[in-house]
């Protein structure tokens, strides 16, 4: 089976077709979770799943599953392959969608070759992986993995004031199955790297062995609004200056630690937001990541200590809200090794690596052995219309997924 290949043209055509769904008048691609454009993408995916002869199941959080099973294997726990099809704003066409469509392609290829798996194989498309409209990200897989109650998830209020549960109902994807009704034998997710490592090292396949921990916080700093020209610097309670110091602290602290930690202040707004008024309030988000839990906790602690000092030094009041917290994940060693074996058999250069981004695989790893396959991203760009992976690499990754699926679904 390792010498068989997926139908490259079918996979690449579907990636382009799905990538055309959800574009605005300027050609920008946006399929936010549970939106009207998300519905269009979901409808197209479900049509492809049905055409492949798969049973369709949608759970209460909107996760879509295409199930290939027979009378002989219906009682076995399934091999699950998948990712997500929601996007960020003004997105590229590969993030998430590639993994879902490659999973479908693997099943179609196996069916055409007469392969008889000893366990069902399932395509999964999880809801709200990106977390742009509803927080936290990876919400659908988090619920499936038992990390968040479905009622709480459905009550999530989005950035536009909508509620996830009502929006899923509006687009026709408020399913009836209870989340977690399919407990996988194993889960494998194929994804573009979204980073520069594979391309820089001229490596086609990344065997992802772990995934960074993620800490999201929202920080509010309250000071005193005052005249920008008449208030001496030493007599200010400047929320804007205090916020700027947080970003500088994080950069310098991580540089001194010589650790692979990363920190990002992704959003920031000031009040009253006037050029000639000292800000009375700054509200901003902080994204901290590290593949080691102890280092991540140490970074969180260092930030907390700095914020305490900042209150005293800048005469401000600081409050912190926890938005999301996910521990680092170590993936299943046997699946990671199977990825490497397939790459070698196909003459593809591979390397083990850490994922810097969050993925549905980290949530499903709570309930089943899991791992990820990466393929290169040109210039390391993602979440951007310039996101690109060469067709040969897309096909290579799908063929490795095919091999791993045969190994995991073809033996008891």
């Amino acid at each position: 089976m390792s010498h068989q290949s997926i139908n490259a043209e079918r996979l690449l055509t579907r990636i382009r077709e799905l990538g055309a769904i959800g574009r605005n008048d300027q050609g920008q691609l946006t399929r936010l979770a549970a939106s009207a454009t998300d519905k269009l993408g979901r409808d197209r995916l479900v049509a492809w799943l049905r055409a492949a002869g798969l049973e369709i199941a949608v759970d209460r959080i909107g996760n879509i599953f295409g199930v290939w099973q027979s009378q002989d294997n219906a009682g076995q726990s399934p091999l699950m392959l998948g990712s997500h099809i929601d996007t960020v704003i003004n997105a590229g066409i590969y993030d998430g969608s590639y993994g879902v469509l490659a999973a479908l392609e693997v099943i179609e290829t196996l069916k055409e070759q007469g392969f008889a798996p000893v366990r069902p194989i399932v395509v999964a498309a999880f809801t709200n992986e990106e977390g742009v409209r509803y927080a936290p990200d990876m919400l659908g897989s988090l619920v499936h993995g038992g990390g968040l109650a479905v009622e709480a998830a459905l009550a999530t209020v989005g950035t536009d004031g909508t509620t996830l549960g009502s929006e899923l109902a509006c687009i026709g994807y408020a399913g009836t199955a209870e989340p977690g009704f399919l407990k996988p034998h194993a889960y494998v997710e194929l994804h573009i790297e979204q980073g520069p490592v594979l391309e820089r090292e001229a490596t086609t396949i990344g065997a992802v062995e772990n995934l960074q921990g993620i800490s999201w916080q929202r920080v509010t700093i309250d000071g005193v609004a005052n005249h920008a020209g008449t208030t001496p610097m030493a007599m200010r309670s400047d929320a804007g200056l205090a916020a700027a110091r947080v970003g500088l602290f994080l950069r310098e602290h991580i540089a001194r630690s010589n650790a692979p930690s990363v920190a990002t202040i992704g959003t920031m707004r000031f009040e009253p937001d006037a050029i000639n008024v000292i800000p009375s309030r700054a509200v901003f988000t902080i994204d901290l990541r590290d593949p080691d839990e102890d280092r991540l906790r140490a970074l969180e602690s260092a930030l907390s200590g700095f914020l305490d000092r900042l209150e005293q030094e800048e005469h401000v009041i600081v409050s912190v809200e926890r938005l999301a917290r996910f521990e680092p994940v170590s993936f299943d060693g046997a699946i990671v090794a199977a990825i490497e074996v397939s790459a070698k058999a196909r003459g593809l250069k591979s390397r083990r690596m850490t994922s810097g981004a969050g993925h549905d695989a980290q949530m499903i790893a709570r309930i089943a052995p899991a791992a990820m396959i990466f393929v290169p991203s040109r210039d390391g760009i993602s979440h951007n219309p310039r996101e690109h992976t060469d067709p040969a690499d897309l096909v290579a990754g799908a063929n490795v997924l095919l091999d791993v699926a045969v190994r995991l679904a073809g033996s008891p």
Side-chain angles (χ1 to χ4, degrees), residues 69-345:
Q69 64 181 354
S70 66
Q71 290 183 342
D72 294 332
N73 66 24
Q76 299 292 324
S77 58
L79 168 64
M80 186 177 288
L81 313 172
S83 192
H84 64 97
I85 66 167
D86 66 308
T87 74
V88 297
I89 298 170
N90 196 18
I93 68 173
Y94 303 104
D95 179 359
S97 297
Y98 168 50
V100 174
L101 297 178
L104 171 58
E105 178 56 42
V106 163
I107 289 180
E108 289 186 293
T109 297
L110 294 177
K111 292 182 73 172
E112 291 164 356
Q113 293 173 357
F115 180 71
V118 300
R119 63 182 68 256
I121 304 179
V122 176
V123 178
F126 292 107
T127 295
N128 192 58
E129 192 273 352
E130 294 293 2
V132 176
R133 191 181 186 195
Y134 301 100
D137 55 352
M138 300 164 289
L139 190 148
S141 53
L142 176 64
V143 172
H144 187 88
L148 179 65
V150 63
E151 290 79 9
L154 291 172
T156 302
V157 178
T159 56
D160 54 0
T162 60
T163 302
L164 176 57
S166 61
E167 291 297 282
L168 286 171
C170 284
I171 67 169
Y173 283 91
T176 58
E178 286 299 322
F181 76 102
L182 284 175
K183 183 175 181 181
H185 167 73
Y187 176 80
V188 185
E189 183 169 351
L190 174 62
H191 209 282
I192 60 171
E193 180 193 354
Q194 302 179 283
V197 175
L198 292 175
E199 182 187 49
R200 183 182 62 208
E201 298 184 359
T203 300
T204 304
I205 299 295
V208 184
E209 60 182 349
N210 57 9
L211 193 147
Q212 293 198 109
I214 301 174
S215 171
W216 282 5
Q217 303 173 52
R218 179 183 292 115
V219 178
T220 300
I221 300 178
D222 286 307
V224 177
N226 213 331
H227 197 290
T230 63
T231 310
M233 296 297 287
M235 299 178 66
R236 298 185 177 201
S237 177
D238 187 339
L241 175 62
R245 287 190 59 188
V246 176
L248 183 61
F249 164 79
L250 288 168
R251 182 178 181 86
E252 293 179 344
H253 177 82
I254 291 173
R256 288 193 304 270
S257 69
N258 198 32
S261 309
V262 291
T264 303
I265 294 179
T267 68
M268 182 177 289
R269 61 179 176 84
F270 293 141
E271 296 178 10
D273 198 28
I275 191 171
N276 60 348
V277 180
I278 297 166
S280 61
R281 170 170 285 188
V283 182
F284 55 98
T285 57
I286 300 177
D287 178 322
L288 306 177
R289 306 192 188 205
D290 195 286
D292 181 84
E293 175 65 14
D294 289 341
R295 285 199 304 261
L296 183 58
R297 288 183 180 276
L299 180 56
E300 291 173 315
S301 178
L303 172 62
S304 178
F306 176 77
L307 294 177
D308 288 342
R309 297 195 301 275
L310 190 68
E311 283 190 311
Q312 304 301 316
E313 295 171 2
E314 297 295 339
H315 310 293
V316 294
I317 298 173
V318 179
S319 57
V320 179
E321 176 188 1
R322 172 78 71 190
L323 299 178
R325 179 59 159 81
F326 302 123
E327 293 186 358
V329 172
S330 294
F331 288 132
D332 183 79
I335 303 178
V336 174
I339 295 167
E340 293 176 313
V341 168
S342 170
K344 183 176 181 180

